[in-house]
Amino acid sequence: MSILVTGGAGFIGSHLCRALLAKGEEVTVIDDLSTGSYDNLADLEGNQAFRLIVEDVNNQALVDDCVRQSSAVYHLASAVGVRLIIEQPVRTIHSIVGGTESVLKACARYRRPFLLTSSSEVYGKGSKVPFAEDDDTVMGATSTRRWSYACAKALDEFLALAHWVETRLPVVIVRLFNTVGPRQTGQYGMVLPNFVKQALNNEPIMVYGDGMQTRCFAHVQDVVEALLALMNCPQARGQVINVGNNQEVSIYELALRIKEQCGSSSEIKKIPYEQAYGEGFDDMRRRVPDLSKVHRLIGYKAKRDLQQIISDVIAEMKAAHK
Ligand code: UDP
């Protein structure tokens, strides 16, 4: 039986597929290549243990068929990126809520273990540092489009937990904090690939707002190792678990570090949020994960620091543009 990865052509999904194949698993991917990309998996075509199905996870009949033939399901298919969420809110909500419902329905039918990649966005604009899994979520107004993503992901979490409560379906919910690394595209607004690209081209590095907002960036390889371990951890079932890195950095400091590591002559430019995202945008000042639960469950500790992350992204971008 193979392992099903929805959204396997995406940034995190494509790293997860490789890790599963390296462990000797067979892997089936369902991905509609909307925010994912064929290029992320191109080198796996021809691998007997790998199968790519280009389709939307809202196709219930197909999902049913694939789940029946799988021993476990990693559900990563989702709209991603703050920019996309703001520009295409209908698509975002439909893909997140509808897709998860369809995959969970099939997992419930065939009793397959299900891992959901949720997001630290679910904490909303709470100001607690760090965020622990049982903390309250603080959402903005529904007229501020950004929060549709957080609410949709929160609904996914509720649905997965409901299956656990009602029928003990083995579900694991992972709240990913900012995950970065090779193959992440800047196309949907993510800060790190955009800054590296700007720095390598000696173009201005565009910092939104005052740059004093902070984030914690985790290497995709650390995150993938955690996903694999959590799927196989019986104590993780029915649980919501933060995964990320807790090394905090301001966005301005990030720009400086990327500029330096690239040996770039870019100027660092601050632009107002309204100019970047349009009117009525909300950002969070700090976002730091409490990682004690994931450490307790699987002994997780992020192994790769920001310097390594930046140098891996630089190396991959340089290689891709050769
Ligand atoms: N950001 C920025 N320049 C960019 C893209 C993003 O300054 O080109 C900022 C953004 O406003 C936010 C932070 O960097 O404060 C992280 O943004 P990202 O979209 O990567 O992730 P998220 O907001 O989901 O944490």
Side-chain angles (χ1 to χ4, degrees):
M1 275 208 186
S2 80
I3 308 273
L4 180 62
V5 180
T6 72
F11 157 56
I12 302 173
S14 63
H15 284 275
L16 176 64
C17 289
R18 283 179 178 77
L20 287 165
L21 289 166
K23 276 166 46 108
E25 301 285 0
E26 288 188 16
V27 175
T28 299
V29 165
I30 304 179
D31 198 302
D32 64 359
L33 303 182
S34 52
T35 52
S37 153
Y38 173 75
D39 290 346
N40 285 340
L41 297 173
D43 59 310
L44 298 181
E45 285 251 75
N47 182 332
Q48 293 301 307
F50 178 76
R51 182 166 68 132
L52 167 64
I53 300 170
V54 180
E55 180 56 298
D56 187 332
V57 281
N58 280 288
N59 179 337
Q60 185 73 66
L62 173 90
V63 165
D64 240 62
D65 211 38
C66 291
V67 169
R68 189 170 46 79
Q69 295 172 50
S70 304
S71 57
V73 179
Y74 290 86
H75 179 49
L76 279 69
S78 171
V80 285
V82 174
R83 184 165 295 285
L84 180 72
I85 282 133
I86 286 169
E87 287 171 1
Q88 299 188 27
V90 172
R91 173 172 157 195
T92 303
I93 297 167
H94 185 61
S95 93
I96 297 174
V97 179
T100 300
E101 193 181 7
S102 143
V103 177
L104 261 172
K105 225 182 238 173
C107 288
R109 183 169 294 135
Y110 301 108
R111 304 289 302 167
R112 297 296 189 257
F114 169 91
L115 183 146
L116 170 73
T117 48
S118 183
S119 165
S120 58
E121 278 281 313
V122 168
Y123 291 106
K125 46 185 177 179
S127 54
K128 194 171 163 276
V129 177
F131 285 127
E133 290 84 350
D134 288 332
D135 289 339
D136 287 344
T137 60
V138 186
M139 295 296 155
T142 51
S143 54
T144 303
R145 276 167 287 171
R146 177 189 189 130
W147 302 116
S148 64
Y149 180 79
C151 285
K153 284 289 190 185
L155 192 59
D156 283 2
E157 293 192 10
F158 276 122
L159 191 61
L161 289 171
H163 278 281
W164 167 254
V165 169
E166 288 189 13
T167 65
R168 283 291 179 263
L169 182 72
V171 303
V172 179
I173 295 156
V174 179
R175 280 194 191 145
L176 295 180
F177 283 66
N178 295 64
T179 303
V180 290
R183 287 204 293 278
Q184 184 176 39
T185 167
Q187 208 181 334
Y188 304 108
M190 278 79 157
V191 67
L192 200 133
N194 275 313
F195 280 8
V196 173
K197 191 167 163 210
Q198 288 157 354
L200 288 176
N201 292 331
N202 295 310
E203 290 164 358
I205 299 177
M206 306 296 253
V207 170
Y208 302 161
D210 63 5
M212 292 302 114
Q213 69 273 36
T214 70
R215 294 293 186 272
C216 298
F217 295 95
H219 196 297
V220 64
Q221 216 54 51
D222 281 327
V223 168
V224 162
E225 285 166 18
L227 297 181
L228 295 174
L230 286 169
M231 176 67 103
N232 296 313
C233 171
Q235 292 77 23
R237 294 178 173 180
Q239 299 289 319
V240 177
I241 304 144
N242 288 339
V243 169
N245 187 324
N246 50 15
Q247 191 191 2
E248 191 178 10
V249 66
S250 76
I251 297 302
Y252 192 79
E253 167 77 15
L254 177 73
L256 285 173
R257 291 183 63 168
I258 289 176
K259 175 177 159 148
E260 190 191 305
Q261 277 187 243
C262 289
S264 166
S265 62
S266 291
E267 125 190 54
I268 298 176
K269 234 175 146 168
K270 291 184 192 170
I271 67 161
Y273 283 116
E274 304 79 65
Q275 207 173 313
Y277 298 112
E279 281 305 316
F281 179 78
D282 257 348
D283 198 12
M284 51 286 287
R285 292 303 280 176
R286 294 179 73 183
R287 185 196 267 161
V288 183
D290 181 334
L291 297 174
S292 44
K293 188 171 184 180
V294 68
H295 180 69
R296 206 167 55 244
L297 286 170
I298 56 168
Y300 173 87
K301 216 170 166 297
K303 294 188 207 123
R304 298 148 181 104
D305 65 6
L306 190 57
Q307 183 171 3
Q308 177 169 358
I309 292 172
I310 296 171
S311 72
D312 284 0
V313 172
I314 294 172
E316 187 253 355
M317 275 199 197
K318 281 187 172 165
H321 291 104
K322 257 190 186 147

